[in-house]
Amino acid sequence: MTDFIKVGIEKIGIYIPEKYIDLSKLAEHRGIDPLKWTEGIGQERMSIMTKDQDVVSMGANACLKILDDEDKKTIDQVIFATESALDFSKASSTYIHKLLGIQPFAKSYEIKQACYSATAAIQVAADYVRLRPDRKVIIIASDISKYGLKSSGEATQGAGAIAILISSNPKIMEITKESVSLTENSFDFWRPSYSNYPFVEGKFSTQLYIDSFIRLIEEFENRYPGKLSKVDALLFHLPFSKMGRKALKTLESKLKEGHISIEGFSDNFEKLYENYDKSIVFGKEIGNIYTGSLYLGLLSLLINGDLEGHSEVGLFSYGSGAVAELYIGKLNENYKDFLYREDIEYLLKRRNEISIKDYENEYFDDQPTQSQHFLENEEPKDLEEGYYLEKIVEDKRFYNFKEKI
Ligand code: CAA
């Protein structure tokens, strides 16, 4: 019976911080040729967190425009996917459950596997809804990517949140059951609990990413012969905008040299590259938002591209450490009607650039660990509307909401 139930993405919301820095200016400041970051890495700007936001408030803000009262009554699970957790015990989704007013008999929990965890959450949610088609699951992917000042990964930081509502009314994209996953215990990027910043083997991480992609393509073709030849776009986890292109190029060479074959695959790389370029438009402006990145790429393609309804897309999810998954999504006929295009464009337009000096002085302040009152009796100036972190009292976090004036 469950074979006939379509499940997938009904709504997608996004939040990005109000501040950004220009990477060309940061490169000049560091004595690096700006082209290395704009051309070589493929990034233009990088989102910078403000003090009144954290992963919880960003996640709640990503849900703000998309959830209506009916959704809040029907959501059974609030899954928070992050590698920027605030607490080893209490899940960030417990705050979100309260802030958004989700019905009380829902479960809220947090999951982690580097940048892969949002995809794990989507698959858990899809299976849950396949068995209970009248219920919904909300997934919040929220992260702050920080490597440290002057670190090798400095140009590949970012911050933001994506919210994804999974239901049996997939107005945007159906999640098919065609999927293959891969686990390989490795140290390409990891953050032990005692460290504020991750450790990264940069070159190894990019190679492992590409190897994982190729292995998944081969296994996918073994299990579902001919399915890959039908996809009109391949979407990638995007730590920086050149990363997926490197993987796509490797696939192209391997196919041309006959190291891999895909049944029925004619040379449609022109279309794949064209769609790839549409998928990186938002990421180039925002940077790496870790587990939300693949879905920021999906949103970018759906808004900036012109894929027809019923097109199939392949999604490659990668989380260092490492776990990866390749699965197929099918677009709904009228998917464009259900994207919050104006909101996303507004979020990008409303940002303010900050100087490199402010970035260095403020951004790398440690997260508060004890009682602090940030904005009690005072609202954040830059935030037009939404949730913000108001204070931490006796190690407990409190959030507030700023109404639109
Ligand atoms: N003009 C144009 N291009 C230039 C240039 C110039 N003046 N100078 C250098 N370049 C090019 C280089 O040729 C290179 O391009 P190719 O890779 O196509 O050859 C590119 O710019 C980057 O140069 P380097 O490799 O020398 O850069 P780097 O040593 O500073 O490191 C990085 C790059 C490894 C990605 C580093 O930023 C990093 O460690 N980032 C964090 C880790 C990461 O993002 N890994 C990705 C896979 S892991 C993952 O996906 C999970 C996750 O989210 C972390």
Side-chain angles (χ1 to χ4, degrees), residues 159-220:
I162 301 275
I164 297 171
L165 184 67
I166 300 289
S167 80
S168 57
N169 185 11
K171 293 178 180 168
I172 297 175
M173 188 181 82
E174 181 190 345
I175 310 283
T176 74
K177 286 198 264 181
E178 285 131 10
S179 124
V180 182
S181 311
L182 172 77
T183 297
E184 185 169 321
N185 179 28
S186 53
F187 288 94
D188 59 327
F189 168 105
W190 69 108
R191 177 151 83 91
S193 49
Y194 50 77
S195 177
N196 277 338
Y197 302 118
F199 297 96
V200 59
E201 297 287 345
K203 297 277 189 281
F204 173 52
S205 72
T206 58
Q207 196 50 54
L208 192 59
Y209 174 115
I210 294 171
D211 292 348
S212 304
F213 172 64
I214 297 297
R215 283 179 69 190
L216 282 175
I217 289 277
E218 288 178 304
E219 185 58 22
F220 198 97

Short mmCIF file of all heavy atoms in Angstrom, two decimals, residues 159-220:
data_model
loop_
_atom_site.label_atom_id
_atom_site.label_comp_id
_atom_site.label_asym_id
_atom_site.label_seq_id
_atom_site.Cartn_x
_atom_site.Cartn_y
_atom_site.Cartn_z
N ALA A 159 26.71 30.93 7.34
CA ALA A 159 25.71 30.65 8.39
C ALA A 159 24.32 30.77 7.78
O ALA A 159 24.09 31.61 6.91
CB ALA A 159 25.86 31.65 9.54
N GLY A 160 23.42 29.92 8.26
CA GLY A 160 22.04 30.00 7.75
C GLY A 160 21.25 28.77 8.13
O GLY A 160 21.78 27.81 8.68
N ALA A 161 19.96 28.83 7.85
CA ALA A 161 19.07 27.71 8.19
C ALA A 161 18.06 27.48 7.07
O ALA A 161 17.63 28.41 6.39
CB ALA A 161 18.33 28.02 9.49
N ILE A 162 17.72 26.21 6.90
CA ILE A 162 16.70 25.81 5.93
C ILE A 162 15.66 24.98 6.68
O ILE A 162 16.04 24.13 7.50
CB ILE A 162 17.32 24.92 4.82
CG1 ILE A 162 18.44 25.62 4.07
CG2 ILE A 162 16.25 24.39 3.86
CD1 ILE A 162 18.02 26.51 2.93
N ALA A 163 14.38 25.23 6.42
CA ALA A 163 13.31 24.42 7.03
C ALA A 163 12.58 23.68 5.92
O ALA A 163 12.27 24.27 4.87
CB ALA A 163 12.35 25.32 7.80
N ILE A 164 12.34 22.39 6.14
CA ILE A 164 11.72 21.55 5.10
C ILE A 164 10.53 20.81 5.70
O ILE A 164 10.69 20.07 6.69
CB ILE A 164 12.76 20.54 4.56
CG1 ILE A 164 13.93 21.28 3.89
CG2 ILE A 164 12.12 19.55 3.58
CD1 ILE A 164 15.10 20.40 3.53
N LEU A 165 9.37 21.02 5.12
CA LEU A 165 8.17 20.32 5.62
C LEU A 165 7.92 19.10 4.74
O LEU A 165 7.75 19.24 3.52
CB LEU A 165 6.96 21.27 5.58
CG LEU A 165 5.68 20.69 6.17
CD1 LEU A 165 5.80 20.46 7.69
CD2 LEU A 165 4.47 21.60 5.89
N ILE A 166 7.91 17.91 5.37
CA ILE A 166 7.68 16.66 4.63
C ILE A 166 6.24 16.21 4.87
O ILE A 166 5.78 16.15 6.02
CB ILE A 166 8.66 15.56 5.12
CG1 ILE A 166 10.12 15.98 4.91
CG2 ILE A 166 8.36 14.22 4.45
CD1 ILE A 166 10.61 16.01 3.48
N SER A 167 5.55 15.90 3.77
CA SER A 167 4.16 15.45 3.90
C SER A 167 3.80 14.56 2.72
O SER A 167 4.62 14.35 1.82
CB SER A 167 3.21 16.65 3.97
OG SER A 167 2.98 17.15 2.66
N SER A 168 2.55 14.08 2.71
CA SER A 168 2.09 13.28 1.56
C SER A 168 1.48 14.17 0.49
O SER A 168 0.78 13.69 -0.40
CB SER A 168 1.10 12.22 2.03
OG SER A 168 0.03 12.88 2.67
N ASN A 169 1.73 15.47 0.60
CA ASN A 169 1.32 16.41 -0.44
C ASN A 169 2.57 17.15 -0.93
O ASN A 169 2.76 18.34 -0.64
CB ASN A 169 0.28 17.38 0.16
CG ASN A 169 -0.29 18.31 -0.88
OD1 ASN A 169 -0.08 18.13 -2.08
ND2 ASN A 169 -1.01 19.34 -0.43
N PRO A 170 3.45 16.43 -1.64
CA PRO A 170 4.76 17.03 -1.99
C PRO A 170 4.64 18.05 -3.12
O PRO A 170 4.96 17.77 -4.27
CB PRO A 170 5.61 15.82 -2.41
CG PRO A 170 4.63 14.78 -2.84
CD PRO A 170 3.33 15.05 -2.13
N LYS A 171 4.21 19.23 -2.75
CA LYS A 171 3.94 20.27 -3.76
C LYS A 171 5.20 20.69 -4.50
O LYS A 171 5.15 21.26 -5.58
CB LYS A 171 3.35 21.51 -3.07
CG LYS A 171 1.97 21.26 -2.50
CD LYS A 171 1.49 22.51 -1.80
CE LYS A 171 0.11 22.31 -1.22
NZ LYS A 171 -0.26 23.38 -0.30
N ILE A 172 6.36 20.46 -3.86
CA ILE A 172 7.61 20.87 -4.50
C ILE A 172 8.34 19.67 -5.09
O ILE A 172 8.59 19.64 -6.29
CB ILE A 172 8.51 21.64 -3.50
CG1 ILE A 172 7.78 22.92 -3.07
CG2 ILE A 172 9.87 21.95 -4.12
CD1 ILE A 172 8.47 23.73 -2.01
N MET A 173 8.64 18.68 -4.27
CA MET A 173 9.42 17.56 -4.81
C MET A 173 9.10 16.26 -4.08
O MET A 173 9.16 16.21 -2.84
CB MET A 173 10.93 17.85 -4.68
CG MET A 173 11.80 16.84 -5.37
SD MET A 173 13.56 17.20 -5.17
CE MET A 173 13.88 16.53 -3.56
N GLU A 174 8.80 15.24 -4.85
CA GLU A 174 8.60 13.91 -4.27
C GLU A 174 9.96 13.30 -3.94
O GLU A 174 10.91 13.44 -4.71
CB GLU A 174 7.86 13.03 -5.29
CG GLU A 174 7.57 11.65 -4.78
CD GLU A 174 7.07 10.71 -5.88
OE1 GLU A 174 6.68 11.18 -6.97
OE2 GLU A 174 7.11 9.49 -5.63
N ILE A 175 10.07 12.65 -2.77
CA ILE A 175 11.28 11.91 -2.43
C ILE A 175 11.02 10.46 -2.85
O ILE A 175 10.14 9.80 -2.29
CB ILE A 175 11.56 11.92 -0.89
CG1 ILE A 175 11.48 13.34 -0.30
CG2 ILE A 175 12.85 11.20 -0.55
CD1 ILE A 175 12.66 14.21 -0.55
N THR A 176 11.77 9.96 -3.81
CA THR A 176 11.54 8.59 -4.26
C THR A 176 12.26 7.63 -3.31
O THR A 176 13.08 8.04 -2.50
CB THR A 176 12.05 8.35 -5.69
OG1 THR A 176 13.48 8.30 -5.65
CG2 THR A 176 11.60 9.46 -6.64
N LYS A 177 11.97 6.34 -3.48
CA LYS A 177 12.64 5.36 -2.61
C LYS A 177 13.98 4.92 -3.19
O LYS A 177 14.66 4.08 -2.64
CB LYS A 177 11.72 4.17 -2.40
CG LYS A 177 10.57 4.53 -1.45
CD LYS A 177 9.90 3.31 -0.87
CE LYS A 177 8.69 2.97 -1.68
NZ LYS A 177 7.96 1.82 -1.18
N GLU A 178 14.34 5.50 -4.35
CA GLU A 178 15.61 5.13 -4.97
C GLU A 178 16.75 5.91 -4.32
O GLU A 178 16.89 7.12 -4.55
CB GLU A 178 15.56 5.40 -6.47
CG GLU A 178 14.73 4.38 -7.20
CD GLU A 178 13.71 5.00 -8.13
OE1 GLU A 178 13.78 6.22 -8.36
OE2 GLU A 178 12.83 4.26 -8.58
N SER A 179 17.50 5.22 -3.49
CA SER A 179 18.57 5.90 -2.77
C SER A 179 19.65 4.89 -2.38
O SER A 179 19.35 3.73 -2.12
CB SER A 179 17.95 6.56 -1.54
OG SER A 179 18.58 6.16 -0.38
N VAL A 180 20.90 5.36 -2.36
CA VAL A 180 22.01 4.52 -1.89
C VAL A 180 22.85 5.37 -0.94
O VAL A 180 23.12 6.54 -1.21
CB VAL A 180 22.91 4.04 -3.05
CG1 VAL A 180 24.02 3.13 -2.52
CG2 VAL A 180 22.11 3.29 -4.11
N SER A 181 23.27 4.76 0.18
CA SER A 181 24.11 5.47 1.16
C SER A 181 25.47 4.80 1.27
O SER A 181 25.65 3.66 0.83
CB SER A 181 23.44 5.46 2.54
OG SER A 181 22.12 5.85 2.44
N LEU A 182 26.39 5.50 1.94
CA LEU A 182 27.76 5.01 2.05
C LEU A 182 28.37 5.55 3.35
O LEU A 182 28.19 6.72 3.68
CB LEU A 182 28.56 5.58 0.86
CG LEU A 182 30.05 5.39 0.80
CD1 LEU A 182 30.37 3.96 0.37
CD2 LEU A 182 30.66 6.36 -0.21
N THR A 183 29.06 4.68 4.09
CA THR A 183 29.76 5.15 5.29
C THR A 183 31.22 4.74 5.19
O THR A 183 31.53 3.61 4.82
CB THR A 183 29.16 4.52 6.57
OG1 THR A 183 27.81 4.95 6.70
CG2 THR A 183 29.92 4.94 7.83
N GLU A 184 32.11 5.70 5.52
CA GLU A 184 33.53 5.36 5.58
C GLU A 184 34.17 6.16 6.72
O GLU A 184 34.28 7.39 6.65
CB GLU A 184 34.21 5.69 4.25
CG GLU A 184 35.63 5.23 4.28
CD GLU A 184 36.30 5.28 2.93
OE1 GLU A 184 35.65 4.95 1.92
OE2 GLU A 184 37.49 5.66 2.91
N ASN A 185 34.57 5.44 7.75
CA ASN A 185 35.15 6.10 8.92
C ASN A 185 36.47 6.78 8.53
O ASN A 185 37.41 6.10 8.14
CB ASN A 185 35.38 5.05 10.02
CG ASN A 185 36.01 5.65 11.26
OD1 ASN A 185 35.81 6.83 11.54
ND2 ASN A 185 36.75 4.86 12.00
N SER A 186 36.51 8.13 8.59
CA SER A 186 37.74 8.81 8.17
C SER A 186 37.84 10.18 8.84
O SER A 186 36.86 10.69 9.40
CB SER A 186 37.74 8.97 6.65
OG SER A 186 36.55 9.59 6.26
N PHE A 187 39.01 10.76 8.77
CA PHE A 187 39.24 12.07 9.39
C PHE A 187 39.55 13.10 8.30
O PHE A 187 40.70 13.43 8.06
CB PHE A 187 40.38 12.01 10.41
CG PHE A 187 39.99 11.28 11.66
CD1 PHE A 187 40.27 9.93 11.82
CD2 PHE A 187 39.32 11.94 12.68
CE1 PHE A 187 39.88 9.24 12.96
CE2 PHE A 187 38.93 11.28 13.83
CZ PHE A 187 39.22 9.92 13.98
N ASP A 188 38.52 13.54 7.62
CA ASP A 188 38.73 14.60 6.62
C ASP A 188 38.33 15.95 7.22
O ASP A 188 38.90 16.98 6.89
CB ASP A 188 37.96 14.31 5.32
CG ASP A 188 36.47 14.17 5.50
OD1 ASP A 188 36.02 13.67 6.55
OD2 ASP A 188 35.72 14.56 4.58
N PHE A 189 37.36 15.93 8.11
CA PHE A 189 36.86 17.14 8.78
C PHE A 189 36.14 16.63 10.02
O PHE A 189 35.25 15.78 9.91
CB PHE A 189 35.90 17.86 7.83
CG PHE A 189 35.08 18.96 8.44
CD1 PHE A 189 35.38 20.30 8.22
CD2 PHE A 189 33.97 18.66 9.23
CE1 PHE A 189 34.59 21.30 8.76
CE2 PHE A 189 33.18 19.66 9.78
CZ PHE A 189 33.51 20.98 9.54
N TRP A 190 36.52 17.11 11.19
CA TRP A 190 35.90 16.63 12.42
C TRP A 190 36.08 17.67 13.50
O TRP A 190 36.98 18.50 13.42
CB TRP A 190 36.48 15.26 12.82
CG TRP A 190 37.91 15.26 13.30
CD1 TRP A 190 38.36 15.08 14.57
CD2 TRP A 190 39.10 15.42 12.49
NE1 TRP A 190 39.74 15.12 14.60
CE2 TRP A 190 40.21 15.33 13.35
CE3 TRP A 190 39.34 15.65 11.12
CZ2 TRP A 190 41.53 15.47 12.91
CZ3 TRP A 190 40.65 15.78 10.67
CH2 TRP A 190 41.72 15.69 11.55
N ARG A 191 35.19 17.66 14.51
CA ARG A 191 35.33 18.63 15.60
C ARG A 191 35.10 17.93 16.94
O ARG A 191 33.96 17.70 17.33
CB ARG A 191 34.34 19.79 15.44
CG ARG A 191 34.43 20.77 16.60
CD ARG A 191 34.07 22.19 16.21
NE ARG A 191 32.66 22.47 16.19
CZ ARG A 191 31.97 22.94 17.21
NH1 ARG A 191 32.55 23.12 18.39
NH2 ARG A 191 30.70 23.21 17.08
N PRO A 192 36.18 17.58 17.64
CA PRO A 192 36.01 16.95 18.96
C PRO A 192 35.29 17.92 19.91
O PRO A 192 35.36 19.14 19.73
CB PRO A 192 37.45 16.71 19.43
CG PRO A 192 38.29 16.82 18.19
CD PRO A 192 37.58 17.76 17.28
N SER A 193 34.63 17.38 20.94
CA SER A 193 33.79 18.20 21.81
C SER A 193 34.57 19.30 22.53
O SER A 193 33.99 20.29 22.95
CB SER A 193 33.08 17.30 22.83
OG SER A 193 34.02 16.45 23.43
N TYR A 194 35.91 19.16 22.65
CA TYR A 194 36.69 20.18 23.38
C TYR A 194 37.16 21.33 22.49
O TYR A 194 37.79 22.25 22.96
CB TYR A 194 37.91 19.52 24.05
CG TYR A 194 38.72 18.65 23.12
CD1 TYR A 194 39.59 19.19 22.20
CD2 TYR A 194 38.57 17.26 23.17
CE1 TYR A 194 40.30 18.38 21.33
CE2 TYR A 194 39.28 16.44 22.30
CZ TYR A 194 40.15 17.01 21.39
OH TYR A 194 40.86 16.20 20.52
N SER A 195 36.84 21.26 21.20
CA SER A 195 37.40 22.28 20.30
C SER A 195 36.32 23.24 19.76
O SER A 195 35.24 22.80 19.36
CB SER A 195 38.09 21.59 19.12
OG SER A 195 38.57 22.56 18.22
N ASN A 196 36.64 24.53 19.75
CA ASN A 196 35.69 25.52 19.20
C ASN A 196 35.62 25.44 17.68
O ASN A 196 34.64 25.87 17.08
CB ASN A 196 36.12 26.94 19.56
CG ASN A 196 35.66 27.33 20.94
OD1 ASN A 196 34.70 26.75 21.46
ND2 ASN A 196 36.35 28.28 21.56
N TYR A 197 36.67 24.96 17.06
CA TYR A 197 36.74 24.91 15.59
C TYR A 197 37.02 23.49 15.12
O TYR A 197 37.63 22.71 15.84
CB TYR A 197 37.86 25.84 15.09
CG TYR A 197 37.66 27.27 15.52
CD1 TYR A 197 38.59 27.89 16.34
CD2 TYR A 197 36.53 27.97 15.13
CE1 TYR A 197 38.40 29.20 16.75
CE2 TYR A 197 36.34 29.28 15.54
CZ TYR A 197 37.26 29.89 16.35
OH TYR A 197 37.07 31.17 16.76
N PRO A 198 36.60 23.21 13.88
CA PRO A 198 36.88 21.86 13.37
C PRO A 198 38.33 21.71 12.96
O PRO A 198 39.03 22.69 12.69
CB PRO A 198 35.98 21.78 12.13
CG PRO A 198 35.75 23.18 11.71
CD PRO A 198 35.85 24.04 12.93
N PHE A 199 38.77 20.46 12.91
CA PHE A 199 40.05 20.13 12.30
C PHE A 199 39.73 19.70 10.87
O PHE A 199 38.72 19.04 10.65
CB PHE A 199 40.74 19.00 13.05
CG PHE A 199 41.08 19.38 14.47
CD1 PHE A 199 40.23 19.05 15.52
CD2 PHE A 199 42.23 20.10 14.74
CE1 PHE A 199 40.52 19.43 16.82
CE2 PHE A 199 42.53 20.48 16.05
CZ PHE A 199 41.68 20.15 17.09
N VAL A 200 40.57 20.10 9.95
CA VAL A 200 40.25 19.75 8.56
C VAL A 200 41.50 19.39 7.77
O VAL A 200 42.54 20.05 7.90
CB VAL A 200 39.43 20.89 7.89
CG1 VAL A 200 40.17 22.20 7.89
CG2 VAL A 200 39.01 20.53 6.48
N GLU A 201 41.40 18.31 7.04
CA GLU A 201 42.44 17.94 6.06
C GLU A 201 41.84 18.33 4.71
O GLU A 201 41.15 17.53 4.07
CB GLU A 201 42.72 16.43 6.10
CG GLU A 201 43.28 15.92 7.42
CD GLU A 201 44.74 16.34 7.65
OE1 GLU A 201 45.40 16.76 6.68
OE2 GLU A 201 45.18 16.27 8.80
N GLY A 202 42.06 19.59 4.32
CA GLY A 202 41.34 20.18 3.20
C GLY A 202 41.40 19.37 1.91
O GLY A 202 40.37 19.01 1.34
N LYS A 203 42.61 19.07 1.45
CA LYS A 203 42.74 18.37 0.15
C LYS A 203 42.15 16.97 0.23
O LYS A 203 41.49 16.50 -0.71
CB LYS A 203 44.23 18.26 -0.24
CG LYS A 203 44.91 19.59 -0.46
CD LYS A 203 44.65 20.13 -1.87
CE LYS A 203 45.49 21.35 -2.17
NZ LYS A 203 44.99 22.60 -1.59
N PHE A 204 42.40 16.29 1.36
CA PHE A 204 41.84 14.94 1.53
C PHE A 204 40.31 15.00 1.53
O PHE A 204 39.64 14.15 0.95
CB PHE A 204 42.38 14.33 2.84
CG PHE A 204 41.76 13.02 3.22
CD1 PHE A 204 41.71 11.96 2.31
CD2 PHE A 204 41.23 12.82 4.50
CE1 PHE A 204 41.13 10.73 2.67
CE2 PHE A 204 40.64 11.62 4.85
CZ PHE A 204 40.59 10.56 3.93
N SER A 205 39.75 16.06 2.16
CA SER A 205 38.28 16.15 2.24
C SER A 205 37.67 16.30 0.84
O SER A 205 36.65 15.68 0.55
CB SER A 205 37.84 17.31 3.16
OG SER A 205 38.08 18.57 2.56
N THR A 206 38.32 17.09 -0.01
CA THR A 206 37.74 17.25 -1.35
C THR A 206 37.86 15.95 -2.14
O THR A 206 36.95 15.57 -2.88
CB THR A 206 38.41 18.42 -2.13
OG1 THR A 206 39.80 18.17 -2.23
CG2 THR A 206 38.20 19.75 -1.45
N GLN A 207 38.97 15.21 -1.93
CA GLN A 207 39.14 13.94 -2.65
C GLN A 207 38.13 12.90 -2.16
O GLN A 207 37.52 12.19 -2.96
CB GLN A 207 40.59 13.43 -2.46
CG GLN A 207 40.99 12.36 -3.45
CD GLN A 207 40.68 12.74 -4.91
OE1 GLN A 207 41.10 13.80 -5.37
NE2 GLN A 207 39.93 11.90 -5.62
N LEU A 208 37.94 12.85 -0.84
CA LEU A 208 36.99 11.87 -0.29
C LEU A 208 35.56 12.17 -0.76
O LEU A 208 34.78 11.26 -1.04
CB LEU A 208 37.06 11.89 1.25
CG LEU A 208 36.36 10.75 1.97
CD1 LEU A 208 36.92 9.39 1.56
CD2 LEU A 208 36.49 10.92 3.48
N TYR A 209 35.25 13.45 -0.84
CA TYR A 209 33.93 13.88 -1.34
C TYR A 209 33.74 13.34 -2.77
O TYR A 209 32.72 12.71 -3.09
CB TYR A 209 33.92 15.41 -1.31
CG TYR A 209 32.74 16.15 -1.90
CD1 TYR A 209 31.90 16.90 -1.11
CD2 TYR A 209 32.49 16.14 -3.28
CE1 TYR A 209 30.82 17.62 -1.64
CE2 TYR A 209 31.42 16.84 -3.83
CZ TYR A 209 30.61 17.59 -3.01
OH TYR A 209 29.56 18.29 -3.55
N ILE A 210 34.75 13.55 -3.62
CA ILE A 210 34.63 13.11 -5.02
C ILE A 210 34.58 11.57 -5.10
O ILE A 210 33.73 11.01 -5.81
CB ILE A 210 35.80 13.67 -5.86
CG1 ILE A 210 35.69 15.19 -5.95
CG2 ILE A 210 35.83 13.05 -7.26
CD1 ILE A 210 36.88 15.90 -6.57
N ASP A 211 35.44 10.91 -4.33
CA ASP A 211 35.44 9.44 -4.36
C ASP A 211 34.09 8.90 -3.91
O ASP A 211 33.58 7.93 -4.48
CB ASP A 211 36.54 8.87 -3.43
CG ASP A 211 37.94 9.17 -3.95
OD1 ASP A 211 38.06 9.61 -5.12
OD2 ASP A 211 38.90 8.99 -3.18
N SER A 212 33.53 9.51 -2.87
CA SER A 212 32.22 9.03 -2.36
C SER A 212 31.15 9.21 -3.43
O SER A 212 30.30 8.33 -3.62
CB SER A 212 31.81 9.83 -1.11
OG SER A 212 32.80 9.75 -0.13
N PHE A 213 31.20 10.34 -4.12
CA PHE A 213 30.22 10.60 -5.19
C PHE A 213 30.32 9.53 -6.28
O PHE A 213 29.32 8.93 -6.68
CB PHE A 213 30.47 12.00 -5.76
CG PHE A 213 29.64 12.31 -6.98
CD1 PHE A 213 28.25 12.38 -6.90
CD2 PHE A 213 30.25 12.54 -8.21
CE1 PHE A 213 27.48 12.66 -8.03
CE2 PHE A 213 29.49 12.83 -9.34
CZ PHE A 213 28.11 12.88 -9.24
N ILE A 214 31.54 9.26 -6.71
CA ILE A 214 31.73 8.28 -7.80
C ILE A 214 31.29 6.88 -7.34
O ILE A 214 30.61 6.15 -8.08
CB ILE A 214 33.20 8.28 -8.30
CG1 ILE A 214 33.56 9.66 -8.89
CG2 ILE A 214 33.45 7.16 -9.31
CD1 ILE A 214 32.77 10.08 -10.13
N ARG A 215 31.66 6.51 -6.12
CA ARG A 215 31.25 5.18 -5.62
C ARG A 215 29.73 5.05 -5.56
O ARG A 215 29.16 4.02 -5.88
CB ARG A 215 31.84 4.94 -4.23
CG ARG A 215 33.31 4.58 -4.28
CD ARG A 215 33.88 4.36 -2.89
NE ARG A 215 33.35 3.16 -2.25
CZ ARG A 215 33.54 2.87 -0.97
NH1 ARG A 215 34.23 3.69 -0.20
NH2 ARG A 215 33.05 1.77 -0.44
N LEU A 216 29.08 6.14 -5.15
CA LEU A 216 27.60 6.10 -5.07
C LEU A 216 26.97 6.02 -6.46
O LEU A 216 25.98 5.32 -6.65
CB LEU A 216 27.07 7.31 -4.30
CG LEU A 216 27.21 7.20 -2.78
CD1 LEU A 216 26.76 8.50 -2.11
CD2 LEU A 216 26.39 6.03 -2.23
N ILE A 217 27.55 6.75 -7.40
CA ILE A 217 27.02 6.69 -8.78
C ILE A 217 27.09 5.23 -9.28
O ILE A 217 26.13 4.69 -9.84
CB ILE A 217 27.83 7.62 -9.72
CG1 ILE A 217 27.55 9.09 -9.41
CG2 ILE A 217 27.58 7.29 -11.20
CD1 ILE A 217 26.30 9.68 -10.04
N GLU A 218 28.25 4.60 -9.05
CA GLU A 218 28.42 3.22 -9.54
C GLU A 218 27.43 2.26 -8.87
O GLU A 218 26.79 1.44 -9.53
CB GLU A 218 29.86 2.75 -9.28
CG GLU A 218 30.86 3.43 -10.18
CD GLU A 218 32.30 3.02 -9.89
OE1 GLU A 218 32.74 3.17 -8.74
OE2 GLU A 218 32.96 2.55 -10.82
N GLU A 219 27.28 2.40 -7.55
CA GLU A 219 26.39 1.50 -6.82
C GLU A 219 24.93 1.78 -7.18
O GLU A 219 24.11 0.87 -7.28
CB GLU A 219 26.63 1.66 -5.30
CG GLU A 219 25.86 0.71 -4.42
CD GLU A 219 26.11 -0.78 -4.70
OE1 GLU A 219 27.16 -1.13 -5.28
OE2 GLU A 219 25.21 -1.59 -4.37
N PHE A 220 24.61 3.05 -7.38
CA PHE A 220 23.24 3.42 -7.76
C PHE A 220 22.88 2.77 -9.10
O PHE A 220 21.81 2.20 -9.26
CB PHE A 220 23.14 4.95 -7.86
CG PHE A 220 21.73 5.45 -7.81
CD1 PHE A 220 21.17 5.91 -6.62
CD2 PHE A 220 20.93 5.45 -8.94
CE1 PHE A 220 19.87 6.35 -6.56
CE2 PHE A 220 19.62 5.89 -8.90
CZ PHE A 220 19.09 6.35 -7.70
#
